[in-house]
Amino acid sequence: MNKPKRYTITSALPYTNGPIHIGHLAGVYVPADIYARYLRLTGNDVVFIGGSDEHGVPITIKAKNEGVTPQDVVDKYHTIIKQSFEEFGISFDNYSRTSAKIHHETASEFFKTLYDKGDFIEETTEQLYDEKANQFLADRFVTGTCPKCGNEEAYGDQCEKCGTSLNATDLINPKSALTGNVPTLKETKHWFLPLDKHEAFLREWILEGHKKDWKPNVYGQVKSWIDDGLRPRAVTRDLDWGIPVPVPGGEGKVLYVWFDAPIGYISSTKEWAQREGKDWEPYWKSNDTKLVHFIGKDNIVFHCIIFPAMLKAEGSYILPENVPANEFLNLEGNKLSTSKNWAVWLPEYLKEFPNQQDVLRYALTANAPETKDNDFTWKDFQARNNNELVAIFGNFINRVVVLTNKYYNGIVPAPGAFSQVDEETLAALKAYPEVISSSIERYRFREAQTELMNLARLGNKYLADEEPWKVIKVDEARTQTIMYVALQIASALATLSEPFLPFTSTKLKSILNVTSSAVETSWNEVSTKDVLLPVGHQIGEAELLFSKIEDETIQFQLDKLEASKKANEAANKAVEPQKPTITFDDFTKLDMRVGTILEAEKMPKAKKLLVLKVDTGLDVRTIVSGIAESFTPEEVVGKKVTVLVNLAPRALRGVESQGMILMTESTEGKLVFVNPDDANVPNGLHIS
Ligand SMILES: [Zn+2]
């Protein structure tokens, strides 16, 4: 197979203003982890890098809103994120954070190098300024209309609708996110990375060099930006949260978060190397290292244009070999949203599905948004588990282990002569490492996982066709051969499942008793070794790898989402603005009394109207009320209600209505009474 190589694998630094959800996992961390685990298994020199992105405007806004410091915000979420990654089995070699000292130093130095080389343009320009907040507005501090697609909720650094990278001053009708004020323009000095100067290099490197090996969605986005023409981009900000600008005139300014964040990959590598007693430089500066960035599609511009331009300008770094960005994952047909709580949060999943990390990994990879946006549904999650992991993979392993224990006390039996089916099955088995490798190396993780499941299918079908539980009654020698072949497939599954289902792989290796002995099979050996599980080897007891997920479990998750949806609808219902102020005298003109509905009937040929007889304490009068879509006549008879009794009478469909019943609306949009709700309150009482 391939010669060992050195790989630096990075995964997008999660932003520390909330926990990880399935969109992050499917788009970035699960594919990156499959890739890293696979490369380690095939004997490569791999560093898999992660870390928290802790600077930038949204964190300062969140801190302000919660009345805490930005450091409090990042400490809280860094801890949550790091721990959930560990529990989920994302096998980072190092998980760092951009508030770490080593990162501040690395980013600072990087900036100074570019500054010293004259790679920046220093310019005093007019920037948006919020007079009320006394602050310059950039990035997420300002919203407005995207000049490219017309999205009215574009941010000062990017339009999330069309993906265009923006400067705050590009926005049409800008508005401060802090005060809602219309900003003014004020002069300030900043440093700009002249992307236009790097256009020729970017064009040659990506558009000519990577046309074939980069994913079409990534290549297409990059091409459209370059074809649109690149412009200088400010890499500093007037802010107090971040990495101070380390050059004269930089006081009170920090590095732009998108300048410092990707340098976080480098500082995290340094941190790892220091801990492991290694040299970090070959992982970033040696031409035989493959640098691969795993990201979501919203980060393409930063990883394919801005960061490479920075690395190229610095001069001593390698450029990414590939940036296999994914599209977005939706949830039950709707866009994932942190603010709307429309998500499956990793910490909650880990709590509610203990020891079922692999089920989520499997479902997310099976539905990975590799070439287009895709949808996660809980029904699909259940079906993937019950119909594939349980019914195929789990069923096969369970039968093999149970029967081996039953027939041979757990000892791998010696085979007799192989039948044609045996030969074909063993030959097919040997082809899998190459097939799965080929898909992984082309970043086709769904396809790779499908092939892994095909190997389990092969085993499951082999046992179902050969029926050792029947053959044992008539031909003991043949049964030994069947079980021997099945055990070889089980052993191959233990090895080849590791990148996709690491917890299952570990458990299966323990069941097969191949964890620490000479019988452990490497990825490549699945093809090359004649015997994977040798005759006479003792395996362990059967243990279920997967268990069925019941309908109630899925319904519980769907109910949670439904509750989020309802809460949002209630929160989003536009509250009407207050009416002009009235005097107390105005108020006292309203004569409101408690009354009881005595009779009710539908107004003929009017869908909305009920004709009511109401005891107001003064009299019994007729009131026509538009509540027929919310109540039947039977429901309202006997109800205590609030009545405006001195409203001028008016005729509705020929019936004179002598007053008005006060109503309001429930969160579900149903009319409800403004109700004294106490039978002891006498009719005719004033409401005041
Ligand atoms: Zn746009």
Side-chain angles (χ1 to χ4, degrees), residues 145-151 154 158-164 166:
T145 303
C146 170
K148 196 153 180 208
C149 76
N151 168 26
Q158 191 178 24
C159 169
E160 290 194 336
K161 195 156 180 201
C162 68
T164 301
L166 298 168

